Amino acid sequence: MGAAIAGHLANVGVPTYLLDIVPRDLTEQEKAKGLTLNDKVVRNRLAQAGKDRLLKEKPAPLFTREAAGLIQVGNMEDDFDKLGGVDWIIEVVVENLKIKQDLFARLEKVWKPGTIVSSNTSGISINKMVEGRSEEFKKHFLGTHFFNPPRYMKLLEMIPNRSTDPAILTEMKAFAEEVLGKGVVFCKDTPNFIANRIGTYGLQITLPVMEELGLGPDEVDAVTGRAMGRPKSATFRTLDLVGLDTFVHVADNVRENVSDPAEKEAFVVSPLMKKLVDNKWLGEKSGQGFYKKVKTEKGKEILALDPKTLEYRPRKKLKARSLDQAKRAKTLPEQLQALVYADDAAGKLAWQITKKVLIYSANRLEEIADDIVSVDQAMKWGFNWELGPFEMWDAIGVEKSVARMREEGETIPKLVEDLLASGQKTFYKTEQGKRYSFFVGGKYGEVAEHEKEISLGRLKEQGKLIKGNKGASLIDIGDDIACLEFHSPKQAIGADIISMINTAVKEVDANYRGLVIGNQAPNFCVGANLMLMLMEAQDHNWPELDLMVRQFQKAMGSLRYLNRPVVAAPFGMALGGGVEVCLPADRIQASAELYMGLVEVGVGLIPGGGGNKEMLLRWTEGIDPADRVALQPLVNHVFMTIGQAKVSTSAQEARKYKFLRSCDGITANQDHLIYDAKQVALGLAKAGYQAPQPRQIPVVGETGYNVLKLGAYGMLKSGYISEHDYKIACKLAYVLSGGEVPEGTPVSEQYLLDLEREAFLSLAGEPKTQARMQYMLAKGKPLRN
């Protein structure tokens, strides 16, 4: 975990020392090399191993491999004095109070006054750790509980001790949000803080409910995952990923440190869990837990544990009418209501788990947090729930659920009684575009929002919608900047979005200073509407398909040459057409987590919305058309990037492929992305923005086409690509080379767009391309035919 935190600091450009203990024994390899315990390579071995793992683990802890260069390894004997020259020291040693206390006593001797010190503990008392330390040291000390893996998990729990300087908390919160991209929740110094306290309780109470209903872990996971607005890993897959021994440690920590007998009882680990740990069936790290992967004649298969026999069996699908109804629900509240109020096995399971978690969260609120917002955010950011406990209570109906709880003999928490006694029916409410939450004591308070958090949904509620249709909306986000939001299914580009792009161009040109293209869905845009294109191709409706491509190309051109600055704000997945929307923009302000690539070859096509032309523009910018030696390698890069459907694994890596340029920005905190993009648009407008002019693009012509085609042929003969892949590659090569013209010929952008469109339509008519499109729609992954 220490290495992973160091890795994420390196991701955002912070040079970091990674120190670990000195090994006591030599490995066999070290002995064979004649090394001794005094050699530096041996003394730094554990820290180096941690750094090395950052380059091997998946999902990758680093934005790019180069980020590892900012991590300097050492050990806690030879390099301990270096801690006196840093700005922030993070302790990530074993979860043992005595060891931590001894470390901080030693640390204070080299500590530079003013340096911030924090512990990454997941549950040990922050106050007890620094008993005996000076007041000045305590003033600069706090808990910073990163969730694993640090790159991907948004939550950072901050826990002050009784002496922590409030100014330091403010400073650290700002740094964590702005630089590290975290969502910060302040916690009280209680066992396991907020997220693990509630999350562990929720996992604990699921086991007895499973046994009571006679279900297996696979059947429970069918209910407690996406159906309840939680991650796909649900309950028992999550336990296997975390490690059953780790979970038992966390549960035991709560049980040993709480005083309420009923709560102690709730955290007693079940006999089933103890048996699995005793068997060393710890989950993913041991190869089996509640699930087990086995090899069969059909390939790898995942088996589920039978809780009664402790034998593994094929996974079952829980058949329940409520699950089917939940899948058909249009909103998450409707989905949850379909489940928790149903009288089948899935409904009974969902109700029992939900009821207990909601009551527990309300009972523990004052002990663990300052408000319900902190609890909800902690569970959303730390456990990837779509709704926190109090938001979930609102979703299923507070009055209705409490009435049922009373019928079942439950004691309703005072907070909830106060809410209902005040005549209110929800923990949250919105008035005049502002959000309020219910506080202990019976009053509502406005939910504090970061100045950089722009909610497109709330702006629309406030009447800031300029124009909209089923696929997209144009929203006034203030300061005479408009935002074009895609909200079609998966933000796929179809006629509605293209129409709204054209509308946005006219509206912004006439009435606004700039345009931001962004949204707040799970992903920016996964490409064009593949189903629509496949239907047209299968019906041989070539004039309609040709018109669709022309309209898309024209819309992208209107973005490029709009008389106002355009800033694209991609995040998550920006694929195919989603990339083509970004490439014409004057600037891109990207989220640090960005999976960006022109992936059309995966469905048997090439980019059709100007992607080939735009990539040529980027790679050949500033090149002398007469310099043929320099031109061909650049075109080769474009050919490989598109032909191999390369996708960045971060915004930093997107720079390597020139999806992002050096002038484009990266935002660590995705919640601030629209704000940052807006500031870029304003900056361009204030600087006297002038739209670019169409320019000629030098191409490698027929000679370069043969070079590209020869490379593809070599891959075909080597077995790396299929015959159909080769056909696609040749079409792509023809477009990128500029067709049958002499090498170095400057051609117009429209000339390249015409070549691109013709190749796109030609490939769309291929039966194997249509098979790839069909397979992608059905399976969600590419077919190699």
Side-chain angles (χ1 to χ4, degrees), residues 152-171:
Y152 299 98
M153 295 303 292
K154 184 176 177 106
L155 180 61
L156 177 62
E157 291 182 319
M158 282 193 180
I159 312 97
N161 73 80
R162 284 184 286 268
S163 302
T164 307
D165 184 346
I168 287 173
L169 293 176
T170 301
E171 176 188 344

Side-chain angles (χ1 to χ4, degrees), residues 692-706:
Q693 297 299 311
R695 69 178 179 88
Q696 299 287 99
I697 305 168
V699 294
V700 292
E702 191 171 7
T703 303
Y705 167 60
N706 289 328

